[in-house]
Every structure is written in structure tokens, then in C-alpha cells.
């Protein structure tokens, strides 16, 4: 090995915990900057990139599981900090890593990471106004994370963890002088998971929440029910679950939901459930068929015209009996889901079925309604009023707005349409909706269920600049609250969700967190590849994005941690660890005999 | 539940071991035949569909792990049959399934599956002329699989296994009167895995071989080395591995390779290795830089013109020193790989670099060569002669033929080009190449690395009819030996290979095995969905293709068998099953005390 090469490998080594190496696709198609040792815009392998980095390091610090501790200035114990100290202790020192815990005479130790949290408060559930700002100072002895709130401390801890790596002595290390100041560009950074087209088991959802926190996402938009299934356990209307679920194993019990919300809370992630109506209610309609609009064709009811409408598909807003039921359903959501927001869907309400129904025509005529927008507005006002009565803030898909409905200005509008799928440009919608004073969540360019092939598929998600064609002023700009990567699950379930979601959601995480000028994919790809290796090292089987390799811990290798109990929940733990029945029987017999013998012996 | 519905569910139940249910995508976009209870072309959920089925069943037979046995007429023990009897016993009765083993008075038992193998021979490695024909007769008492060879017996066993399902009493069952006669349409049904762009760990390759056998694939085309890495352990030139590998964990030792070949043999799968040259040799060139053509631009050597050529990328055929080395490399391949064929690659030899090199120009001028096809022909004839000297048959990519080289007629030509990627139609190549008397393997329409989104992505792979535009006669038609699904791994490694490959390779399996008139994807999708659920039940985390669900054994659920040791190799077994130290310590202490007490008591 020549000297340059060894030097180069050492540099590579210092760049992160991940000993990944990147290769070109073909000799005649190299990547620009063909391996990760090139000069980079962002020298440290952090994802998403922080706002400000100053690296004046001259050496390394060593962290040992025997001495390293994390401390806080909180006056009393706080479950969020305690849980994260436990989580990150695994990330740092998982037994399977078999790190060298010895701090030798020549090592400089980092023995403490101290959290200085200004508000000294252990919060409940994260909300829209959480403060995620933090400052991180890495230096010998005690490193410090300063934050206004526990939430900022968590973000700082994630950044700190990404700075650590395993050095050539197999010790956990970190560069010895780094200052980082960081805060998110957008306050709303979400991922939508759809558990209606396919059920995603609870342990898998929890793992996705872990991966979200590694990428500083802070909203889990839970598209929990839809036409295909109603997996939410309803106590108020048990039939909704009974008739709406796929199989018995395909239900989110209220206990499950609470567990997921708690799991998300500990990671600074809000859980916003969606109850989509008046469309997308087939599974709901299995319990309440009387509320579904019957579609007519040629004077006959229950007629489908594929692909215009089915036989009976959307709610019939003219039936007053529906609203008390919806109020019950939403109030049950309110009992279970803690977030101040609920998502009410309202996308893809196609009018043809409503138009075909004579009862609806009659009802509208009686009220001098001539336009079906009025009917949708009628429905919207009713359900928005229900949410308001329940003291819930609301997000809706943009269709409501597009159809001329103008809900209250607190209503958040989620943009999903785009010229790519036959509508206008998303930037036009963004300009229009914010000019009318509505807060907006952007999703159109980030429908990551649309998988495609090619040289760096993720570039297109990464290169989105939400404000590129923005025409409003600074005040109007503030109405763009953030964005959301949507993983609709027509072709996704537990078996492939991780390969689809990671690292494909990561570019969106950086776009939503990092300053807008961190936008060069040719630079970002090396950090992203390292982030994907990092995810592997935390048990997330993320897909590769470049040729090359991560290390001896890849999926399928003995050192893989993808199935370590520390990085999993329930399903692997409980079943794979059950002792062999014969063994446990022997154990019991052994113990019984033992007690009998003691008994005999004593007499 | 109304009566029709219960009847319907019972029918669903009888259709297969998988209690899957399929749902439409949207109310207004139902699938044709919206759920799997509809009348089907193929009534039994078999994949790939057999040639002939006669189902005169009136009831069910029950298989119990206590009594069911598989027997053969072979005069001595045969490892292939023994191993498969063990494998399928797991598939039938895995302890985790917790089946009811009781055969009650009202049950009719199937106690034996008898293999009647005409040639009464336990074969070595499968080859081009293996006979996979079989007849299966399911009936009470003893069911029979008749086959000419062990290979046909294996295919019949797979079909038999697909007929079994778990009935409502939680017993393994099968319909009581089924006759199947079956043989493959094409003799070559392959999958290419590329372990050079990313290393695929050995246990993961083994699992893919399992899944291949569940789909009656019979060739594993191992694209083991390429520009990016040389993962094959060479004893003759250790540097090839040392300088060519990614990391230390990213090498296929010769022991690994032999294990993989044996694993494949037991499943009736040939392993054909590829040594790709004269292009795609960057990793080879790290050891033999002196044999790589230096590319020149503007009078300077080592100049790249991306994307025309790199700095130095392909072999220089004019250097005679190269051929003894290649002979050594290929003879080492021959020692390790057992198949009669070797794949010599020879794709994507772009002439520009050769043209730029003054030494090559000079050499050609001396020999009155004017066309670079002649240079390629020169190289081809040399390396084909080496293979011939080694008594190896050869497959090459079509480029050799396209460039005017006409190797011996035994050379198999693999077609990969298509109009979709800027060439001619693959059917034109097929017509042309077979008209010149060369046997052909078709891959163009089955590059399944090209992932895309949309309503039934797999339809396009399924709807390929190799003979649709065939212009030759029956003799010429025989030259189409079969086809190969290619999973190039630029974006694939152990973490996502299963989600990418399964069930996306299944439609190709059916096209290559089943009669050409089994080609309606609207019918096939239900069977394919059941096949994907079946794969899940055998530990393969295959992706969903339709809305709906499989059962309580999905990935992420406690009954999932994806990580059961019976369906995995090495990596999960060894690490995750180590007993908890404290527990085993307690057990030991307990036992010691027990013995001490007995000792005391006896005195």
C-alpha cells in the first residue's frame, strides 16, 4: 500500500463511524469526486447538515462505556432525557460492536456530555411550537449541548452521535474541537405512512420512528384508515374495526396507538392521525352503508362507471344522521391521539357520483344549491365545525381549497398536486394558497411511493427548493410550515417499507432542516451514503445509493445489528428468545426436585 | 356474516395455505375480478402454473407431522432427496406454525408421498440436459410423484407443497384427488445476480437460491466480478482478491463458492460464473495495470472523456502477456465452478479508447487490420480458445456477435439489448442470431433492476412472449434455450435484494416454465399474490403486489418466519441464539447445588 493511499484511508476513517467506500458506476461513468476523500462543502459527515460548523480539531477524544456519561441540568428526572440517554448509549456502545473500553495513557478522554437546557422543563407531547435550536460544543473532558428545550437537546444529541466513529484502535472517538449552532429551516418536517392499503406492524412503525429521529423528522402523519381497511380499534363503534380490518392481526389497538405516540414523543415526533372523508370511506361504509352515496347510471342505483366512480363510494352529506356519528368517531380520535392537529383528508371527492344521485339533486334543489362545490362546502363546514367543537386544529388536503371551499384561516392546507400528475405546478398552488392566508404543508414533490430507477433517483427529491418560484413577501413565506414525504402503501408493507423509505426520505429531511444553500447533490451524496451506512449500524436496513460498501456489519453479515433486540421491538425479542420447551421443562423439573430435596433434607 | 360470504371465505380458504385477501386499489379503480374467489383460468394457486391439471377432488386429506413421510424408490441413499425431504418437512411442519398433528376419526389421512424415479440415479451437478418432467397424483393414503430423474422429482415436490394449506382445524391439508402432468417450456430459466457493484453476503445468496427453487428457476448466473470489485478468492493471483475486494468481509472464499454451488445443486440449480472481459476489468486491472489499455486524448496518455471512456479501462488485446494470465484465471474458475458453461461477458467494449492508443494502432497496422471489430475478434478468438482448451462451454453477451465476431456455434449468445434502451428490438436480435445457428438466452425484457412504479409493474415482465415476433422455423425456435432475469446491483445489496427480487422475478419464472397460453395477468395476479404470501411463509420477505394482506405471519408480526433458523443460513443462527449468560449461569448453579444436595442427602 503506498503512502498516499494509507493517508487517504486514514482521512476516510476519520470522517465518520462508517468505514464506507464509494465507487463509480462504470469506468466510463465515474461519479464526480469519485471517492469520499475529496474536498467537501461539508467536512463532517452529518445528515441533515447543520447551519453552522466550526471545526478546529487537532486530535481525537476517546469515549469509553466504562466512564462516559450524559448528564442534564434538569431539576428532576425527565423520561425523555432518560430514555434518550439509554437509546444513545446503545448507539454508542452496543455490546455487539465489541468496542475497546480502555482509555490508555496516550488517549484524551471525553467523559461527559452535559445537557444545559434553559427552560429546565420536561415537556409532555411535542407540538407545533417546539424549539429545536441547539448548540453543541465538543471539547476534551466535558462536551456541552445547550438548548432552550429538551427537544433541542435531542436534536443536538443526534448530531453529537453522528460525529462519533470507531477509530483504528476499535475505540469510540470524536474530533476534539467542534462548535455547531443549529436550528431547523422549517418547523414541520413530516413523513406520511399509509397503514390502510397495507397494515404496517407496530414494531415496524416504531423502527421507522427511530429512523425519523436519526434524520430530525418531527411529524408522523398517520394515514391510518382508508377505503381498503379500517385498522384503528374503535370502542365506540366496534364494527368499524371488526368489519373494516384486514385480519385479526391487522388492528392497531388503542394500546398500540398509545405506545406508538409515546415512542414518537420520546423522539420529539408528533403523531397526526388522518380521518379521511367524505371520500376514501369504503371500509367505514361497511359499518355505515346507509351513509354512503349510492351512484346511479341510466336510472338504476348501485352502478359503477370505472374509473369515474364505483357503485357506492363517498359519504352522502345530505344525510343528517351522519354528523353525530362523525362527531363520535372524531371524539374517539381525540381521546387517543394527543396532537393539537387532526388531518381530515377531504381529497379526491369526485362529484360524478353525487351528481348521479336523485336524492342529492332533490336536496340541493330544495336549498337552491346549483354547484356541487356548495355541497362539498356544506360537508366541509359541518366536519370542520365538529373538529372545532372538539377543540382540534385541522389539516386538509388541498382539494377542499381547490374546490372553492374557504375554511377558517387556522386550517392547514397540504399540497399534493403537481403538473407531473396532470395538475398545475405545485409552486402555483403554494403561491395561491398562502396569498389567501392559509398555512401550507408541501408534499407534491415528495411522493416517495413513486419509485423510479436511474442514476441517483433521490436527486429530484433533494433538488426541490420550496421557495424557488415563490412570489409572496416574507410574511406570506412564513405560511409555508414545512413539508412531508408521503409513502403511500399500495405496494408497501412491513416486508419492504424500510428499503423504500430509507434513505429515500433522507434528502427531504435535509431539504426541510438545513439552510437552502446546502443543495449540491454531488457533495451531498457522500454524506448521504454515510448516513445510509449509519442507519445500517443502527439496525435500519436502508438501501444503497452508490456503488461500494459500508463495512462488515452489512445486512446478511454476522456483525449486522439489524436484528439486535436493542434496535427492535417485540416481534423479534419475544419469539426468538423463548427457551426451548424441553429446556424450560427441564429447568422446572430441576427446580422442583431441588425444592423437594431441600424439604426432605430439612426433616 | 351472510351465508354467501361464509361460503366465499371457505372457498378462499381451500385455495391455498395462504389466507390472503386481495382488495382493489380505490373504490373507483377496482381490480378486474376484485377478489380471489372469482372463477379462474387456473383453479389451484400454483406458481408457475403446470401444463396439465385435473382436479376431481371431493374432500380434503390431512397430513400430520407424526405420520406423514416421503419415500423414494432409489436403491441407495441420495443426498439430494434426503436434503429436500428435510427442507420440505420444514415447509410443511415448521414448529412455529404450531399445527395440529392429530388425525381425527373424521379425517382422511395422507400418510405418504412416494417418489418413483425412473432412472433410479442420484445425480451430481445439474446440467443443460436435466429432465425436469414430472407427474403428480394426489390421492388418499399414498400420493405419488413420478419423474424420469431426481430433478423432476424436486419440481414435483415443489408443486405438491404448493397444494398444501392449513385448514380451519389448523391441520395441514390437501385436496384429495389431483392429477398434474408438467414439464418446463424452456430448459434454461435463470437469474443473474451481480455481486460486484455490491457484495451480497453468502447467507443471502443461499436464501435467494431457495426462493429460486420455489419458482422452478434452474440457473444462477453469478456476475461475480466487475469494474467495482473482484470478490472471488483467487489462490493463483491472491492480489486479484486483495486489491479487488471491497472490505475483508466482502470476499467469496472458495469454500463459500463451493457451499453456494452445493446449495444450488440440492435445489436443481446450475451456477454459471461470469468472468467479464475485455471491458469491465477495472478491479482486475488493479493487479494487472500493465494489461489495461491506456486511453489517449490530444497526444497525452491516461486521459478520460466522460462518458465516452475513462483514463484506462479495458484490456489491451495486443499484449500477448495477457493470455497466459487469463488462462490461469479461467482454469481457477474451472477448478471451483462445476458447470459445463462459463460466461465470458464481452459486453460493452467501446472502441474509442482502443482507437486512441498509438501502440494498438501500430500493432493493427503491422497486421493490416483496419477495423476494430477485427481487434475484438482477435481477442474473442483467443479467450474462446482458452475456454475450449479448458473444455468449457461458453456464453457471451450479444455484443460479440453484434460486432461481427462469429464464434463457434456452440457459443450461447445472451441478448440484453432492446429498443427501450436505444438499440434494436430484442426480437430482431433473436431472429438474426438464431438464423445464424447460435443458441440464445433472452434477457432484454427482464432487466428487473429497472424498478418502476405503477399499477402492476410486473405485467410488462409477464406479458413478454419470446416467440411473438419470431420468424424462424421450428428448428430455429429450439435455439432459444430460455431466459434470464437480471438484477444488476448498482442500487441493490443484502438490505434490499429480497424486496427487489421477489416477487418481481416470479412472472418471468412462469413465462419460462409454463405453456405460452398461460398469459393473462388479470388471472395471474391472484396466484402471484398467493405466491408472494407463500414466499413470506417460507421466510422470504417478498414485496406486496396488490392491496390486501397475507395473514398473521407478515414481516413484523410475531408469527413471521423470516428469521427462523430453518429458513436462514449462518448469520442469524450463530449470533442471535446465544443463551443469556446470567440464565445459563443460574442453570449451572442450580444443577451444581442439586448435585451437592443429592451428595449430602446420600450421606
Amino acid at each position: 500500500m503506498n503512502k498516499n493511499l494509507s493517508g487517504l484511508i486514514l482521512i476516510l476513517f476519520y470522517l465518520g463511524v462508517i468505514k464506507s467506500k464509494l465507487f463509480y458506476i462504470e469506468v466510463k461513468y465515474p461519479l464526480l469526486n469519485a471517492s469520499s476523500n475529496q474536498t467537501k462543502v461539508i467536512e463532517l459527515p452529518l445528515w441533515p447538515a447543520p447551519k453552522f460548523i466550526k471545526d478546529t480539531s487537532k486530535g481525537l477524544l476517546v469515549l469509553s462505556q466504562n466512564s462516559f456519561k450524559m448528564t442534564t441540568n434538569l431539576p428532576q428526572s425527565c423520561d425523555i432525557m432518560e430514555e434518550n440517554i439509554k437509546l444513545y448509549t446503545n448507539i454508542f456502545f452496543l455490546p455487539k460492536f465489541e468496542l475497546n473500553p480502555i482509555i490508555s495513557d496516550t488517549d484524551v478522554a471525553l467523559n461527559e456530555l452535559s445537557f444545559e437546557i434553559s427552560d429546565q422543563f420536561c415537556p409532555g407531547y411535542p407540538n407545533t411550537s417546539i424549539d429545536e435550536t441547539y448548540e453543541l460544543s465538543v471539547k476534551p473532558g466535558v462536551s456541552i449541548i445547550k438548548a432552550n428545550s429538551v427537544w433541542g437537546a435531542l436534536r443536538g444529541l443526534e448530531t453529537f452521535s453522528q460525529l462519533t466513529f470507531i477509530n483504528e484502535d476499535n475505540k469510540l472517538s470524536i474530533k476534539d474541537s467542534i462548535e455547531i449552532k443549529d436550528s431547523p429551516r422549517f418547523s414541520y418536517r413530516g413523513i406520511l405512512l399509509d397503514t390502510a392499503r397495507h397494515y404496517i406492524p407496530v414494531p415496524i412503525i416504531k423502527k421507522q420512528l427511530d429512523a425519523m429521529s436519526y434524520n430530525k423528522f418531527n411529524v408522523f402523519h398517520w394515514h391510518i384508515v382508508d377505503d381498503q381497511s379500517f385498522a384503528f380499534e374503535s370502542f365506540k363503534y366496534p364494527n368499524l374495526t371488526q368489519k373494516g380490518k384486514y385480519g385479526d392481526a391487522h388492528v392497531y389497538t388503542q394500546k398500540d396507538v398509545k405506545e406508538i405516540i409515546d415512542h414518537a414523543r420520546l423522539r420529539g415526533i408528533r403523531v397526526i392521525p388522518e380521518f379521511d372523508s367524505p371520500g376514501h370511506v369504503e371500509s367505514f361504509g361497511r359499518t355505515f352503508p346507509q351513509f354512503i352515496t349510492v351512484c346511479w347510471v341510466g336510472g338504476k342505483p348501485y352502478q359503477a362507471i370505472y374509473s369515474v366512480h364505483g357503485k357506492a363510494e363517498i359519504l352522502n352529506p345530505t344525510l343528517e344522521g351522519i354528523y353525530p356519528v362523525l362527531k363520535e368517531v372524531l371524539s374517539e380520535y381525540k381521546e387517543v391521539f394527543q396532537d393539537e392537529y387532526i388531518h381530515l383528508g377531504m381529497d379526491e371527492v369526485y362529484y360524478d357520483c353525487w351528481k348521479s344521485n336523485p336524492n342529492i339533486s332533490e336536496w340541493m334543489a330544495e336549498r337552491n344549491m346549483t354547484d356541487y362545490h356548495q355541497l362539498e362546502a356544506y360537508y366541509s363546514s359541518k366536519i370542520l365545525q365538529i373538529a372545532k367543537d372538539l377543540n382540534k386544529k385541522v389539516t386538509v388536503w388541498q382539494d377542499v381549497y381547490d374546490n372553492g371551499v374557504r375554511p377558517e384561516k387556522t386550517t392547514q392546507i397540504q399540497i399534493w398536486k403537481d403538473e407531473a400528475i396532470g395538475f398545475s405546478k405545485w409552486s402555483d398552488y403554494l403561491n395561491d394558497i398562502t396569498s389567501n392566508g392559509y398555512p401550507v404543508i408541501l408534499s407534491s414533490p415528495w411522493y416517495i411511493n413513486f419509485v423510479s430507477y436511474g442514476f441517483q433517483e433521490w436527486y429530484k427529491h433533494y433538488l426541490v427548493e420550496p421557495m424557488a418560484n415563490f412570489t409572496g413577501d416574507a410574511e406570506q413565506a412564513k405560511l409555508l410550515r414545512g413539508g412531508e414525504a408521503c409513502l403511500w402503501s399500495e405496494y408497501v408493507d412491513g416486508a419492504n417499507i424500510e428499503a423504500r423509505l430509507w434513505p429515500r426520505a433522507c434528502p427531504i429531511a435535509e431539504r426541510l432542516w438545513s439552510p437552502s444553500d446546502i443543495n449540491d447533490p454531488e457533495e451531498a451524496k457522500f454524506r448521504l451514503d454515510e448516513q445510509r451506512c449509519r442507519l445500517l449500524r443502527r439496525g435500519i436496513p436502508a438501501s444503497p445509493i452508490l456503488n461500494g460498501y459500508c463495512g462488515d456489519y452489512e445486512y446478511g453479515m454476522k456483525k449486522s445489528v439489524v436484528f439486535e433486540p436493542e434496535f427492535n421491538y417485540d416481534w423479534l425479542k419475544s419469539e426468538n428468545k423463548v427457551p426451548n420447551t424441553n429446556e424450560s421443562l427441564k429447568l422446572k423439573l430441576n427446580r422442583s426436585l431441588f425444592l423437594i430435596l431441600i424439604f426432605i433434607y430439612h426433616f
Side-chain angles (χ1 to χ4, degrees), chain A:
Chain A
M1 186 181 286
N2 68 42
K3 249 189 162 175
N4 280 348
L5 195 59
S6 3
L8 186 155
I9 286 174
L10 210 67
I11 291 168
L12 267 174
F13 213 76
Y14 275 39
L15 275 171
V17 64
I18 300 124
K19 288 169 249 172
S20 66
K21 192 146 184 238
L22 315 170
F23 282 79
Y24 33 76
I25 300 291
E26 302 267 346
V27 175
K28 73 187 199 76
Y29 292 105
L31 298 178
L32 296 175
N33 303 318
S35 96
S36 64
N37 59 303
Q38 305 290 329
T39 309
K40 298 197 205 180
V41 179
I42 292 129
E43 287 286 339
L44 299 168
L46 301 172
W47 195 279
K51 241 180 193 167
F52 171 85
I53 306 174
K54 191 175 163 193
D55 177 8
T56 52
S57 302
K58 296 203 171 63
L60 293 183
L61 308 174
V62 172
L63 293 74
S64 160
Q65 55 258 58
N66 294 340
S67 58
F68 179 74
K69 62 178 191 283
M70 294 180 255
T71 60
T72 81
N73 67 333
L74 297 182
Q76 63 260 330
S77 77
C78 173
D79 60 344
I80 302 176
M81 290 311 298
E82 279 162 17
E83 187 69 14
N84 278 283
I85 287 169
K86 205 173 111 194
L87 287 171
Y88 281 85
T89 299
N90 281 329
I91 286 171
F92 296 142
F93 305 117
L94 197 71
K96 198 167 185 181
F97 296 158
E98 294 175 350
L99 293 178
N100 180 352
I102 308 297
I103 298 195
S104 68
D105 292 349
T106 54
D107 290 334
V108 182
L110 176 60
N111 286 324
E112 188 176 338
L113 175 62
S114 166
F115 295 96
E116 299 181 2
I117 298 161
S118 321
D119 70 6
Q120 300 204 346
F121 177 67
C122 188
Y125 295 92
N127 57 34
T128 44
S129 56
I130 61 170
D131 186 342
E132 295 168 294
T133 307
Y134 70 90
E135 292 184 18
L136 165 63
S137 168
V138 182
K139 53 193 174 58
V142 182
S143 291
I144 294 166
I145 289 173
K146 287 185 188 172
N148 297 325
S149 77
V150 157
W151 309 119
L154 297 193
R155 303 303 172 231
L157 176 53
E158 175 54 36
T159 300
F160 175 86
S161 76
Q162 296 191 2
L163 290 169
T164 64
F165 62 96
I166 299 167
N167 75 8
E168 50 201 339
D169 297 328
N170 197 31
K171 297 177 182 181
L172 193 70
S173 307
I174 192 165
K175 293 177 86 179
D176 67 358
S177 178
I178 295 172
E179 298 287 331
I180 288 175
K181 294 180 185 186
D182 201 11
S183 60
R185 180 177 174 202
F186 293 106
S187 63
Y188 186 112
R189 305 179 307 281
I191 286 187
L192 174 147
L193 298 182
D194 162 10
T195 61
R197 272 64 182 245
H198 285 99
Y199 180 86
I200 313 288
V202 174
I204 305 295
I205 292 182
K206 287 181 182 169
K207 220 168 156 171
Q208 305 325 299
L209 290 165
D210 295 356
M212 283 173 67
S213 75
Y214 304 150
N215 290 282
K216 298 189 169 71
F217 280 106
N218 67 1
V219 177
F220 167 31
H221 173 176
W222 194 349
H223 190 85
I224 187 169
V225 299
D226 205 302
D227 286 325
Q228 288 79 359
S229 74
F230 194 101
F232 175 63
E233 179 186 42
S234 174
F235 293 139
K236 293 203 175 173
Y237 299 108
N239 273 343
L240 277 180
T241 318
Q242 206 51 38
K243 298 182 177 179
K245 72 186 174 190
Y246 280 149
D248 290 340
H250 302 74
V251 172
Y252 300 105
T253 66
Q254 293 203 0
K255 185 169 162 291
D256 291 336
V257 173
K258 280 171 189 152
E259 265 183 45
I260 285 170
I261 293 170
D262 286 344
H263 194 92
R265 167 181 170 262
L266 293 169
R267 286 150 185 83
I269 298 170
R270 300 162 57 195
V271 179
I272 300 180
E274 179 169 347
F275 179 78
D276 198 354
S277 73
H280 293 278
V281 293
E282 207 277 343
S283 66
F284 176 89
R286 290 172 216 161
T287 299
F288 296 106
Q290 68 273 31
F291 295 144
I292 305 296
T293 312
V294 175
C295 311
W296 290 61
V297 175
K300 287 183 196 161
Y302 294 103
Q303 301 298 311
I305 307 177
Y306 303 124
S307 62
V308 178
H309 60 66
K311 292 178 186 173
E313 56 167 4
I314 54 177
L315 293 179
N316 182 338
T318 71
L319 303 170
E320 288 305 313
I322 208 171
Y323 298 106
V325 172
L326 291 175
K327 184 161 190 178
E328 286 299 303
V329 171
L330 293 188
S331 68
E332 190 166 20
Y333 264 61
K334 182 188 157 91
E335 281 166 27
V336 180
F337 292 96
Q338 303 298 325
D339 201 80
E340 60 200 309
Y341 275 81
I342 185 171
H343 200 301
L344 290 179
M346 302 212 240
D347 56 320
E348 302 183 310
V349 181
Y350 301 103
Y351 294 161
D352 297 271
C353 179
W354 278 351
K355 283 182 186 168
S356 80
N357 184 296
N359 301 331
I360 289 182
S361 306
E362 197 179 323
W363 184 91
M364 285 174 67
E366 282 168 9
R367 283 156 187 82
N368 291 322
M369 283 188 191
T370 51
D371 188 333
Y372 286 82
H373 291 326
Q374 293 171 290
L375 182 61
E376 185 171 5
Y378 175 82
Y379 178 80
S380 304
S381 67
K382 290 281 231 177
I383 194 158
L384 288 166
Q385 186 59 45
I386 290 171
K388 196 176 177 184
D389 292 347
L390 292 169
N391 203 23
K392 279 280 185 187
K393 289 178 187 164
V394 166
T395 309
V396 292
W397 297 104
Q398 70 176 103
D399 307 49
V400 180
Y401 179 93
D402 295 346
N403 290 339
V405 179
R406 292 291 172 271
E408 288 195 29
K409 289 290 161 72
T410 56
T411 308
Q412 243 170 203
I413 311 285
Q414 187 163 6
I415 296 177
W416 66 276
K417 296 180 182 175
D418 185 32
E419 58 181 346
I421 49 170
F423 298 100
S424 301
K425 286 180 187 171
W426 59 257
S427 52
D428 293 345
Y429 293 119
L430 176 62
N431 286 328
D432 179 35
I433 298 171
T434 53
S435 75
N436 275 289
Y438 289 98
V440 161
I441 308 299
L442 180 63
S443 282
S444 310
W446 294 318
Y447 263 39
I448 57 173
N449 52 307
F450 293 131
V451 69
S452 65
Y453 188 80
F455 187 62
Q456 307 313 341
E457 185 213 4
W458 58 272
Y459 279 27
K460 65 175 179 283
H461 302 132
Y462 189 71
L463 288 169
V464 172
E465 171 42 55
M467 307 312 273
N469 298 304
F470 196 70
T471 52
D473 60 14
E475 272 311 297
Q476 190 180 331
K478 283 185 194 159
L479 288 169
L480 177 59
R481 297 285 158 80
E484 206 172 84
C486 297
L487 188 70
W488 299 99
S489 69
E490 275 85 357
Y491 306 110
V492 169
D493 72 1
N496 64 341
I497 190 170
E498 293 176 290
R500 279 286 160 97
L501 193 52
W502 307 109
R504 293 173 71 243
C506 300
I508 302 161
E510 178 149 300
R511 183 56 50 245
L512 294 172
W513 177 279
S514 304
S516 59
D517 61 351
I518 309 282
N519 60 3
D520 176 8
E522 294 298 326
E523 173 277 322
K525 69 187 171 206
F526 299 114
R527 282 187 295 113
L528 181 56
D529 199 66
E530 295 191 34
Q531 177 74 346
R532 110 97 179 170
C533 295
R534 183 179 290 127
L535 291 172
L536 267 186
R537 274 191 78 90
R538 297 179 182 193
I540 309 290
S543 297
I545 58 151
L546 295 172
N547 285 249
Y549 65 104
C550 289
D552 61 358
Y553 52 86
E554 287 167 22
Y555 187 104
M557 295 181 174
K558 286 190 180 175
K559 288 203 172 175
S560 168
V561 298
V562 170
F563 306 107
E564 286 303 287
E566 288 84 352
F567 293 140
N568 285 283
Y569 305 96
D570 316 330
W571 73 299
L572 294 170
K573 252 185 229 176
S574 50
E575 295 288 320
N576 285 0
K577 296 275 172 173
V578 174
N580 182 302
T581 324
N582 291 338
E583 265 310 299
S584 81
L585 196 65
K586 265 193 231 161
L587 191 65
K588 275 182 199 159
L589 282 174
N590 233 346
R591 280 183 183 154
S592 311
L593 274 167
F594 179 67
L595 290 172
I596 291 166
L597 278 166
I598 289 179
F599 185 78
I600 294 169
Y601 182 71
H602 274 266
F603 289 82

